[in-house]
Amino acid sequence: MDERSEQNTYRALLVAKRWEEFATKRTTGDGVFFTSDYVPWALTAIMGEQPHGMTITRVWELMKQLGGSDLDERTRQVSPKQPVKEILAMDLETATGLLEDRTAT
């Protein structure tokens, strides 16, 4: 794995671990979800500068891969007038576990 790929993997993990800042809590309260629209915002906060478009794409794809069974790929459409969005959903128990893991390190 090259250095750039390792950096993007690390960034994908950081975005997921900072779900309280960069994800939306489901209205049912039982989980959170990310959209690709949130990734540029999250990466700007993490990196301290606006990320390149390819970095955004790679981090989103890595989030899907790294999530395994903990992140479900789904689609969401708020209204028929809005386009369908791809989301990554995570249950609240998993998300909370990421916070516990983060404070342990």
Side-chain angles (χ1 to χ4, degrees), residues 10 15-16 26 28 30 41 43 52 59 64-65 70 82 84 95 97 100:
Y10 180 70
V15 172
R26 297 181 72 174
T28 56
D30 62 348
W41 173 51
L43 289 175
H52 187 276
V59 167
K64 291 194 278 188
Q65 291 172 20
D70 292 328
Q82 289 189 341
V84 175
E100 291 166 0

Side-chain angles (χ1 to χ4, degrees), residues 46-101:
I46 290 166
M47 297 168 57
E49 62 186 24
Q50 189 169 351
H52 187 276
M54 190 52 92
T55 300
I56 295 165
T57 301
R58 286 181 178 143
V59 167
W60 178 250
E61 290 302 316
L62 283 165
M63 285 177 70
K64 291 194 278 188
Q65 291 172 20
L66 295 171
S69 62
D70 292 328
L71 278 175
D72 290 331
E73 266 186 84
R74 299 181 186 166
T75 57
R76 176 175 181 242
Q77 188 173 21
V78 177
S79 75
K81 294 181 181 180
Q82 289 189 341
V84 175
K85 287 198 180 259
E86 183 181 28
I87 66 170
L88 295 175
M90 179 170 40
D91 67 42
L92 199 56
E93 184 178 334
T94 300
T96 304
L98 288 173
L99 292 177
E100 291 166 0
D101 185 43

